Amino acid sequence: MTADKFEVLKKYFGYSSFRDGQEELVNALLAGRDVLGIMPTGAGKSLCYQIPAIIMNGITLVISPLISLMKDQVNALVQQGVSAAYLNRSLTEAQYRKALSNSANGKYKIIYVAPERLETSSFLWFALNADISLIAVDEAHCVSQWGQDFRPSYLNISSFISKLDRRPVIGAFTATATEEVKNDIIRLLKLNDPVKVTTGFDRPNLYFSVLRPQNKSAKLLELIKERKDKSGIVYCSTRKKVEEVCELLNNNGISATRYHAGLNDDERVKNQDDFVYDRKTVMVATNAFGMGIDKSDVRFVIHYNMPKNIESYYQEAGRAGRDGVDADCILLYAKADVSTCKYFIENIEDNAELSQEQKDFFKQREEERLKQMVFYCTTSDCLRGYMLKYFGDEYKGSCGKCSNCLTEFETADVTVEAQKILSCIIRTGQNYGVKMISDVLRGVSSDRITRAGLDRQSTFGIMKDVRATEIRYIIEKLEEQDYIISIGAGKPVLHVTEMSYPVLRGNAGVKIRKAKQLKSKALKTEVYDVDRELFDALKIVRMNFAKKKGVPAFVIFSDATLADMCRIMPTTEAEFLSVSGVGANKLEKYGEAFLNVIREWSV
Ligand code: ADP
Ligand code: MG
């Protein structure tokens, strides 16, 4: 008799209900249909193929791009009582041969394999003699050149499949939903009339906020100190920034490590492990860090610099809170980030395979995306709504969980200020950037200003009593509303546009939205509305098991599961089994130890 999907869900994974999209995908695979599952990070794609894998006769191959990802997933499966293994180049030759012969002997139900391995003769020998019923392609967007993470070895997948005597069912999974990528996946993996499931992109447990600090370093320290001992990622736009920020954190007593493409392989692996195994709490990284980080208890993702588009932002920020517990996604915005991004776009790697026309098209597309990203940083509308609409989801109203929804805005008439700023830009010959214009308006006597004779301009000092931040803010808003444009990538200079003249002549007014104050509490998630001391005590038990088994803590139990224990306070095995994330196998392995702590607590 075959096991029922709900039984498997509870017994191995410890959950009593499916999340959005999961059941449909499981059903389709069990019915022998190919599938394409598009769900955001943290939505629970793995379960969609792991459950059919456990139920179906025969073996499931999971094709996955990254070694670390395979290792964590296999660890997690083994902890849940599923026989699984991985085949990749992290194994020695002898280990690999052993694993392969175990596979051939039917020892594993689920085998993770790197795409490069598929067409090696030893693997083919195994595959041709094995009973493979399902092939799951994880991170399936890697097959597409349109995606961010194109991996040429993914192109071998379909030729590998065509060599098998019997075509297994194929499931492809990704978080990337653009049309080009979707079509590439179906075409290049030769999916056969797949059942397509796309779930909404909302991640309700994430808080989004954009801050514009005067001093980013100080703000960052403050934010991290508020989140003491919580695991988090800080993304920076360049390697150099990563080095600086990591040093800043370490000098301030924060346990941080770093990751970027300039480090050698060994150090990257070590730093990543330090973070995943909670030996370091904060990871400072470029966008090279991320795919394959299944660490489920990342409580915050802070962007020290604005990324180049919303796709990247949502993907990176989405690495927070995969366990479904509240987490923060904070972006520290500064105008200078825009110039950095423009610079990157201007200097897009000279790719010899691209024609000039393609390059121009590419640049134009990237510029358009950058604009949308800047809008995200400067809008006063609901941030979640803005992003979801960008991805084509319906979204109405305001979420109440982003910095804009939590801020009260007022509309201010800044016509007079705008006239002063615009005329200063014109009088100084449209030759200067924000800082100079602001200095002239405030009447700062610097060398540069006197040398250029700007202190003799009629606009010199006409905004003496206004703070520099205020002037800067109004200039930004004028730019957003197209009264001003910045020209040039490196050190852009301000020009006025056609729209400015009516304002200067007094025929039009300018209004901007200004933050008045934060509504209710400041944006800061208090993650667990549970007994903090019990939670910490359980964390220690979890850490001890993790160390003993050599696996990351969240592989033993997620934060969400510990929080649920605090809520339910189980004292019997049956009650323990009712905790979300506790299955039969984990009950047997860990139940006693956790129950003991909870029992002591309840007396
Ligand atoms: P994805 O691959 O889509 O980013 P994962 O498969 O890694 O997401 O799952 C993210 C987290 O959600 C994991 O901690 C997983 O255990 C949890 N999860 C998955 N399905 C469920 C469910 N039905 N109920 C509760 N938690 C779930
Ligand atoms: Mg995944």
Side-chain angles (χ1 to χ4, degrees):
M1 216 199 86
T2 51
D4 166 69
K5 61 187 181 232
F6 285 103
E7 274 167 38
V8 171
L9 179 67
K10 183 62 204 170
K11 178 170 173 213
Y12 294 96
F13 301 94
Y15 302 129
S16 31
S17 58
F18 282 107
R19 287 192 184 152
D20 201 17
Q22 286 180 327
E23 193 174 359
E24 211 181 328
L25 287 161
V26 168
N27 287 345
L29 287 173
L30 287 175
R33 292 283 304 271
D34 285 358
V35 306
L36 172 57
I38 297 174
M39 296 155 89
T41 310
K45 291 185 281 297
S46 328
L47 268 187
C48 301
Y49 55 83
Q50 288 169 345
I51 288 185
I54 293 168
I55 295 176
M56 287 163 123
N57 293 318
I59 297 170
T60 289
L61 294 183
V62 183
I63 297 165
S64 170
L66 289 176
I67 290 178
S68 59
L69 194 124
M70 295 187 203
K71 199 171 93 185
D72 287 350
Q73 296 234 357
V74 167
N75 272 334
L77 284 169
V78 170
Q79 291 307 312
Q80 285 154 342
V82 182
S83 58
Y86 54 82
L87 297 170
N88 61 35
R89 67 182 156 79
S90 76
L91 302 177
T92 63
E93 192 48 42
Q95 287 172 326
Y96 182 77
R97 250 182 290 125
K98 182 91 204 301
L100 205 54
S101 83
N102 279 342
S103 308
N105 293 330
K107 192 155 179 277
Y108 309 120
K109 200 72 192 141
I110 303 182
I111 299 167
Y112 281 73
V113 60
E116 302 80 29
R117 287 276 156 174
L118 293 174
E119 297 205 83
T120 60
S121 55
S122 58
F123 188 81
L124 265 178
W125 165 83
F126 151 73
L128 289 173
N129 291 292
D131 174 21
I132 299 170
S133 34
L134 170 63
I135 292 185
V137 183
D138 205 1
E139 314 289 353
H141 60 279
C142 291
V143 79
S144 169
Q145 316 216 22
W146 291 100
Q148 314 255 353
D149 310 296
F150 173 54
R151 305 226 156 197
S153 57
Y154 262 60
L155 294 171
N156 299 335
I157 295 174
S158 87
S159 100
F160 163 76
I161 294 173
S162 69
K163 294 195 172 84
L164 301 175
D165 295 335
R166 185 168 62 92
R167 183 183 182 279
V169 182
I170 301 169
F173 298 87
T174 179
T176 313
T178 64
E179 281 307 309
E180 296 129 340
V181 173
K182 261 195 266 190
N183 293 336
D184 269 4
I185 292 174
I186 295 176
R187 185 169 59 87
L188 296 167
L189 294 178
K190 300 209 169 82
L191 299 184
N192 181 8
D193 183 24
V195 173
K196 288 176 250 177
V197 175
T198 306
T199 63
F201 267 67
D202 193 14
R203 300 275 311 280
N205 62 314
L206 300 184
Y207 276 70
F208 290 99
S209 69
V210 175
L211 306 174
R212 309 166 165 236
Q214 196 56 20
N215 177 337
K216 283 194 182 183
S217 321
K219 191 67 194 179
L220 181 68
L221 285 173
E222 183 192 318
L223 291 169
I224 293 182
K225 283 179 179 163
E226 280 171 6
R227 291 165 180 77
K228 194 168 174 299
D229 296 332
K230 288 182 185 161
S231 195
I233 305 174
V234 178
Y235 278 110
C236 304
S237 59
T238 62
R239 297 174 190 182
K240 188 160 157 270
K241 252 296 160 278
V242 168
E243 294 292 335
E244 273 170 43
V245 169
C246 187
E247 194 178 316
L248 171 82
L249 297 185
N250 281 317
N251 289 341
N252 282 276
I254 293 160
S255 143
T257 184
R258 66 203 203 288
Y259 192 104
H260 58 68
L263 303 174
N264 64 41
D265 282 356
D266 289 345
E267 186 174 0
R268 281 209 305 264
V269 170
K270 179 180 177 303
N271 294 355
Q272 173 166 333
D273 277 355
D274 281 347
F275 176 63
V276 172
Y277 287 76
D278 293 321
R279 293 186 287 263
K280 294 282 167 74
T281 32
V282 178
M283 170 58 88
V284 186
T286 59
N287 60 5
F289 178 75
M291 192 178 51
I293 307 306
D294 269 0
K295 186 170 171 52
S296 73
D297 58 356
V298 173
R299 294 271 68 87
F300 62 86
V301 171
I302 298 177
H303 278 77
Y304 195 84
N305 301 109
M306 180 189 72
K308 63 183 192 306
N309 54 45
I310 303 261
E311 285 87 348
S312 311
Y313 182 63
Y314 204 64
Q315 193 174 51
E316 287 159 18
R319 296 191 173 118
R322 298 174 79 114
D323 50 14
V325 180
D326 282 357
D328 289 316
C329 307
I330 303 169
L331 197 163
L332 304 184
Y333 173 71
K335 194 69 201 302
D337 294 334
V338 184
S339 321
T340 315
C341 291
K342 281 193 180 147
Y343 178 83
F344 279 134
I345 295 175
E346 276 307 307
N347 294 280
I348 285 167
E349 241 354 274
D350 267 329
N351 188 334
E353 288 168 32
L354 294 182
S355 67
Q356 190 56 40
E357 204 178 341
Q358 284 170 314
K359 274 184 215 167
D360 291 344
F361 169 75
F362 194 64
K363 270 186 195 169
Q364 214 180 333
R365 191 180 64 176
E366 289 304 301
E367 269 161 27
E368 188 47 43
R369 287 183 177 175
L370 173 60
K371 238 193 228 162
Q372 305 285 338
M373 184 74 239
V374 176
F375 278 143
Y376 173 82
C377 295
T378 53
T379 179
S380 44
D381 295 340
C382 171
L383 294 175
R384 182 185 311 274
Y386 180 85
M387 275 192 289
L388 292 177
K389 280 185 218 141
Y390 180 86
F391 292 117
D393 277 10
E394 282 273 325
Y395 196 83
K396 291 202 186 76
S398 52
C399 72
K401 277 177 102 174
C402 73
S403 53
N404 285 347
C405 287
L406 292 170
T407 306
E408 212 173 299
F409 289 92
E410 61 183 359
T411 306
D413 187 320
V414 291
T415 310
V416 175
E417 289 85 347
Q419 286 167 338
K420 291 178 179 171
I421 292 169
L422 295 171
S423 65
C424 180
I425 294 174
I426 293 173
R427 295 278 158 85
T428 54
Q430 314 201 71
N431 278 325
Y432 300 99
V434 181
K435 168 125 183 43
M436 272 296 265
I437 295 297
S438 154
D439 282 353
V440 171
L441 286 163
R442 293 179 62 242
V444 175
S445 333
S446 70
D447 268 2
R448 220 180 137 206
I449 286 180
T450 16
R451 244 186 293 126
L454 301 182
D455 52 348
R456 293 192 303 272
Q457 286 290 337
S458 58
T459 52
F460 185 79
I462 55 170
M463 292 179 87
K464 240 199 311 296
D465 303 325
V466 185
R467 293 211 323 265
T469 45
E470 176 84 9
I471 295 181
R472 210 174 261 268
Y473 184 75
I474 300 175
I475 292 179
E476 267 176 39
K477 292 284 150 187
L478 289 175
E479 192 170 352
E480 272 164 52
Q481 297 183 32
D482 295 326
Y483 293 102
I484 294 177
I485 50 170
S486 295
I487 296 189
K491 278 190 187 300
V493 300
L494 302 180
H495 283 222
V496 304
T497 67
E498 286 300 309
M499 278 179 63
S500 295
Y501 295 102
V503 176
L504 285 164
R505 284 196 293 267
N507 297 334
V510 179
K511 290 201 173 86
I512 61 172
R513 293 242 285 166
K514 268 169 84 174
K516 205 159 121 195
Q517 61 187 46
L518 272 184
K519 272 186 216 159
S520 63
K521 63 179 174 70
L523 190 81
K524 193 176 138 205
T525 55
E526 197 29 82
V527 173
Y528 330 102
D529 56 348
V530 295
D531 185 336
R532 190 70 223 184
E533 272 178 64
L534 175 57
F535 188 87
D536 287 341
L538 297 176
K539 259 172 96 171
I540 293 172
V541 181
R542 176 174 73 176
M543 189 46 116
N544 288 338
F545 277 120
K547 286 210 171 114
K548 210 155 56 186
K549 308 249 167 191
V551 298
F554 64 86
V555 165
I556 305 291
F557 283 128
S558 71
D559 279 7
T561 299
L562 294 194
D564 209 34
M565 285 183 204
C566 295
R567 256 175 253 124
I568 295 180
M569 296 278 269
T571 53
T572 65
E573 292 201 348
E575 284 168 4
F576 195 71
L577 202 51
S578 75
V579 171
S580 170
V582 178
N585 207 56
K586 288 193 176 175
L587 167 69
E588 193 185 315
K589 280 191 185 141
Y590 313 121
E592 213 37 47
F594 283 89
L595 277 170
N596 280 338
V597 174
I598 298 169
R599 283 188 197 118
E600 256 172 57
W601 221 262
S602 9
V603 290

